[in-house]
Amino acid sequence: MFFSIRSLSVAAVFSLGAVLNAADNPFVGRWALTIPGGGAGWLGVESKDGALSSSVLWGGGSVVPTAGTKVDGDTLIVTREQKNKEGKLSAIETITAKIEGDALKLTTAKKNAEGKEIGKPAEFAGKRIADIPAKPDLAKVKFGDPIQLLNGKDLTGWRLLKEADNGWSVVDGVLQNRVVKAKDKHFGNLRTDAEFEDFNLKTEVRTQEGSNSGIYLRGIYEVQIMESFGKPLDSHHMGALYSRITPSVNAEKPIGEWQTLDITLVDRHLTVILNGTTIIDNQPVLGCTGGAMTSDEFKPGPLYLQGDHTNVDYRNMVLRPVVK
């Protein structure tokens, strides 16, 4: 339907302008961040009904909504609030960003609840993430020869991600992680020497009491491994893409039982089959997850197993790379 702006009220014109400006806002989209200190982060900016909103991933943890999002001239201003254990405001972080092509130049500054500056402002960078392609037809995807990632004898082909205490060992053909809770102990994550692009991964996992681990695909996306049997569906429970995709159904077995995982990553789409039940069905992945080695979703990377939290067991891990 054609209409003339002249026929609209002043209020309607301003409303229409806000919608158009938001729709054309160059900040809207998803951004891969390299946060101060070099960690992986993510920023998503959305426009709905003429208003901007955003969510952010800052190194570890979950993707969380921000407290405020606005544009002032050529600058995006995002506000994050931090609260203490009692739920009281402890700090306010202000992130400002300017666009340079497909890149963001950002600065972060933090103040306490009384308005006093905390530390010094820090500069960091972001890069626009390309649109996610159409959902792949997995029936037409070709996979290469299987690669046995665990030899059942030792840690050949694996190494600690960073210098840390090593809780990983192979016992009776099982790759196990055993963590000792102590102030002077800091246990490490385990990664493959080899790096991969898209693939199918099949493995078995056995949770222990309070298990909290994860399988990082290409070191970027964490499929959660957790002892969460009997708990409600959640993006932080067994088989989820951590804080991003909640399983569609509970398929977890009780603690101590071996469970099968069949994971396929193709064209930034994820499928997870847990114990023979599809719980994530070829769903788009919007960005890295907490603890990622990098926010760059377009480079090969290793598998890495989270080992800095609790005890967990793995066996029979076989990867088939996508053949292009």
Side-chain angles (χ1 to χ4, degrees):
M1 179 177 67
F2 175 80
F3 59 87
S4 169
I5 290 181
R6 290 182 180 180
S7 66
L8 299 177
S9 68
V10 173
V13 169
F14 278 116
S15 177
L16 175 64
V19 173
L20 292 176
N21 288 338
D24 296 335
N25 193 310
F27 293 104
V28 170
R30 295 172 297 108
W31 302 87
L33 305 179
T34 302
I35 62 176
W42 179 90
L43 173 67
V45 181
E46 296 182 336
S47 171
K48 184 177 181 180
D49 299 328
L52 292 176
S53 63
S54 63
S55 53
V56 68
L57 172 70
W58 199 261
S62 300
V63 178
V64 295
T66 62
T69 312
K70 66 179 182 179
V71 173
D72 185 2
D74 63 350
T75 303
L76 175 71
I77 303 173
V78 172
T79 304
R80 299 175 64 210
E81 293 183 349
Q82 298 179 3
K83 297 182 179 180
N84 57 27
K85 294 181 179 180
E86 290 73 35
K88 295 182 179 181
L89 184 66
S90 60
I92 299 174
E93 181 178 17
T94 301
I95 298 170
T96 57
K98 292 181 181 293
I99 287 183
E100 296 179 353
D102 282 334
L104 284 183
K105 185 176 181 181
L106 305 102
T107 301
T108 176
K110 189 180 295 186
K111 295 181 179 180
N112 63 19
E114 289 73 40
K116 184 177 180 180
E117 188 174 285
I118 302 174
K120 295 182 179 180
E123 295 183 352
F124 60 109
K127 183 178 181 181
R128 185 182 295 278
I129 301 172
D131 291 341
I132 293 178
K135 182 180 297 187
D137 183 348
L138 297 181
K140 296 181 179 179
V141 175
K142 295 182 179 181
F143 295 94
D145 295 334
I147 301 171
Q148 298 282 348
L149 297 179
L150 300 176
N151 65 16
K153 299 177 182 179
D154 55 32
L155 297 178
T156 299
W158 296 78
R159 66 180 188 268
L160 288 179
L161 188 62
K162 298 178 181 178
E163 184 175 347
D165 293 303
N166 185 16
W168 297 95
S169 64
V170 178
V171 178
D172 296 329
V174 174
L175 174 64
Q176 64 177 33
N177 186 51
R178 295 296 180 264
V179 174
V180 178
K181 296 295 184 181
K183 290 183 179 181
D184 61 342
K185 294 289 186 180
H186 303 281
F187 286 85
N189 304 316
L190 192 69
R191 60 155 287 175
T192 57
D193 292 332
E195 297 191 344
F196 310 98
E197 295 184 300
D198 287 353
F199 54 80
N200 169 262
L201 175 72
K202 291 183 174 68
T203 191
E204 294 177 78
V205 61
R206 181 172 61 188
T207 59
Q208 306 293 319
E209 183 177 358
S211 279
N212 181 0
S213 181
I215 302 173
Y216 280 78
L217 315 179
R218 298 212 320 266
I220 302 171
Y221 311 121
E222 181 189 8
V223 174
Q224 173 76 328
I225 304 299
M226 185 178 182
E227 199 290 289
S228 51
F229 179 75
K231 296 182 179 180
L233 293 172
D234 191 280
S235 64
H236 301 82
H237 289 171
M238 183 70 170
L241 182 66
Y242 191 82
S243 89
R244 286 199 179 275
I245 303 178
T246 300
S248 59
V249 63
N250 280 316
E252 185 177 354
K253 292 182 179 181
I255 185 173
E257 293 190 25
W258 282 105
Q259 309 188 55
T260 61
L261 275 168
D262 184 334
I263 301 168
T264 302
L265 177 66
V266 178
D267 288 344
R268 287 183 285 159
H269 285 77
L270 178 68
T271 297
V272 177
I273 303 172
L274 175 62
N275 299 319
T277 299
T278 301
I279 62 172
I280 297 177
D281 188 6
N282 209 7
Q283 295 298 304
V285 178
L286 299 183
C288 64
T289 60
M293 296 171 62
T294 176
S295 60
D296 186 348
E297 300 176 71
F298 302 93
K299 61 186 296 186
L303 285 182
Y304 97 67
L305 307 178
Q306 188 178 45
D308 59 351
H309 287 356
T310 57
N311 301 342
V312 68
D313 298 334
Y314 294 95
R315 71 180 183 187
N316 299 330
M317 189 174 290
V318 179
L319 183 145
R320 293 183 299 150
V322 170
V323 177
K324 297 181 179 180

